[in-house]
């Protein structure tokens, strides 16, 4: 035990952990294993949001936003620690293959703190599923960031994780540039369940970014059709609209 501690101290001294945003060496004062003290002030934290879809709002509200009231989503709620803004936007977009594990660990760590807060008095989901990429996209990109975050959360929360159950059967066109209605149409029947989830009743789906919510809504619909009773959404960042 003592040797392990000394070994870790030596490793940290020789190769101090570096900030995921500024690339500065992280000192003990930062009190965070991913962020320098300076970078902690740069995080676009999501403080005021719709209690259902986590849409960033300008004033606190106990009731759901207009869009959620007009078209209630299939999921129960969204947990998102961040607003999709710089420097997180670049980090999510530019994640290079070599950094994927380190960045995923940082994102999982942020999400974990929010999840623990939100579920203090409520049961955690029984299963975590990453939002899958279509095989074609996965081959182009080489990895699915959502899968890495989901895997880490599963370890930290001791909840099962399954990256085989949910599949993307439709290679949807690029979503950016489409409005909410077009996105919804684009994603209709885009997902399917490859393995029965029974008797699981409560599932969390994990993704990196949530924009209009069309993707997670389509996944939630697929899961509800399979007999799941509650779908929660866990994302790293939420766009402002
Ligand atoms: Zn809402």
């Amino acid at each position: 035990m003592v040797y392990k501690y000394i070994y870790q101290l030596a490793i940290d001294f020789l190769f101090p952990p570096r900030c995921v945003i500024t690339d500065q060496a992280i000192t003990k004062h930062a009190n965070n294993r991913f962020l320098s003290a300076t970078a902690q002030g740069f995080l676009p934290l999501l403080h005021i949001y719709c209690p259902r879809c986590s849409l960033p709002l300008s004033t606190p509200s106990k009731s759901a936003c207009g869009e959620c009231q007009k078209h209630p989503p299939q999921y129960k709620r969204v947990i998102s620690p961040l607003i999709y803004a710089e420097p997180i936007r670049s980090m999510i977009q530019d994640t290079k293959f070599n950094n994927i594990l380190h960045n995923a660990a940082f994102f999982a760590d942020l999400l974990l703190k929010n999840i623990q807060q939100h579920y203090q008095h409520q049961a955690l989901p029984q299963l975590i599923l990453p939002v899958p990429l279509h095989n074609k996209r996965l081959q182009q990109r080489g990895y699915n960031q959502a899968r890495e975050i989901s895997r880490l959360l599963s370890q930290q929360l001791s909840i099962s994780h399954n990256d085989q159950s949910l599949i993307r059967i439709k290679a949807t066109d690029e979503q950016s540039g489409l409005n909410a209605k077009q996105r919804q149409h684009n994603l209709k029947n885009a997902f399917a369940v490859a393995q029965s989830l029974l008797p699981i009743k409560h599932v969390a789906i994990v993704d990196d970014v949530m924009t209009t919510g069309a993707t997670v809504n389509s996944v939630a619909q697929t899961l509800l059709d399979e007999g799941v009773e509650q779908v929660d959404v866990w994302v790293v960042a939420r766009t402002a609209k």
Side-chain angles (χ1 to χ4, degrees):
M1 252 349 237
V2 175
Y3 290 119
K4 207 175 157 191
Y5 177 69
I6 293 172
Y7 175 75
Q8 192 57 50
L9 277 183
I11 290 287
D12 285 354
F13 179 74
L14 292 170
F15 308 102
R18 306 201 78 84
C19 174
V20 291
I21 292 173
T22 62
D23 201 36
Q24 292 169 316
I26 298 176
T27 61
K28 276 225 160 73
H29 308 289
N31 210 12
N32 187 305
R33 66 197 168 102
F34 297 102
L35 291 173
S36 60
T38 329
Q40 287 176 41
F42 298 160
L43 281 187
L45 295 173
L46 177 52
H47 290 299
I48 306 170
Y49 47 85
C50 164
R52 188 81 184 260
C53 73
S54 273
L55 180 77
L57 299 175
S58 47
T59 48
S61 166
K62 280 199 172 146
S63 50
C65 71
E67 188 55 30
C68 283
Q69 290 190 26
K70 225 174 7 174
H71 306 289
Q74 303 300 321
Y75 50 78
K76 175 98 184 283
R77 61 152 132 189
V78 176
I79 290 178
S80 172
L82 300 171
I83 297 174
Y84 188 56
E86 295 302 341
I88 296 299
R89 190 201 311 258
S90 299
M91 250 184 101
I92 289 180
Q93 282 181 354
D94 302 340
T95 299
K96 301 283 189 290
F97 189 66
N98 288 339
N99 288 332
I100 174 75
L101 290 178
H102 193 51
N103 283 358
F106 164 60
F107 293 144
D109 188 62
L110 272 174
L111 249 171
L112 180 70
K113 287 173 188 142
N114 264 45
I115 291 165
Q116 285 167 333
Q117 242 173 8
H118 278 85
Y119 289 86
Q120 255 175 10
H121 306 292
Q122 290 172 49
L124 279 160
Q126 298 155 284
L127 177 68
I128 310 178
L129 301 173
V131 171
L133 295 174
H134 189 270
N135 264 344
K136 219 166 82 186
R137 182 75 56 86
L138 187 63
Q139 275 163 14
Q140 282 167 357
R141 211 183 282 182
Y143 62 89
N144 177 3
Q145 189 158 227
R147 180 179 172 274
E148 296 305 325
I149 299 166
S150 164
R151 193 177 55 78
L152 292 166
L153 285 174
S154 149
Q155 285 168 3
Q156 283 153 352
L157 292 163
S158 302
I159 302 176
S160 307
H161 156 266
N162 188 326
D163 58 6
Q164 307 289 321
S165 304
L166 191 63
I167 48 170
R168 197 159 189 148
I169 50 174
K170 201 162 127 188
T172 45
D173 301 333
E174 196 56 56
Q175 292 280 91
S176 48
L178 302 181
N179 66 30
K181 209 163 181 186
Q182 289 166 326
R183 281 176 189 235
Q184 218 168 347
H185 181 75
N186 202 19
L187 283 159
K188 200 159 189 253
N189 302 322
F191 299 94
V193 170
Q195 299 161 358
S196 168
L197 297 173
L198 291 172
I200 301 285
K201 296 284 177 209
H202 184 185
V203 172
I205 52 179
V206 173
D207 211 351
D208 47 9
V209 183
M210 175 171 164
T211 308
T212 62
T215 302
V216 289
N217 212 36
S218 178
V219 172
Q221 180 65 66
T222 305
L223 297 175
L224 296 181
D225 290 346
E226 288 294 319
V228 171
E229 289 175 2
Q230 182 178 330
V231 179
D232 299 345
V233 177
W234 297 348
V235 293
V236 175
R238 180 76 168 93
T239 56
K241 56 179 177 177

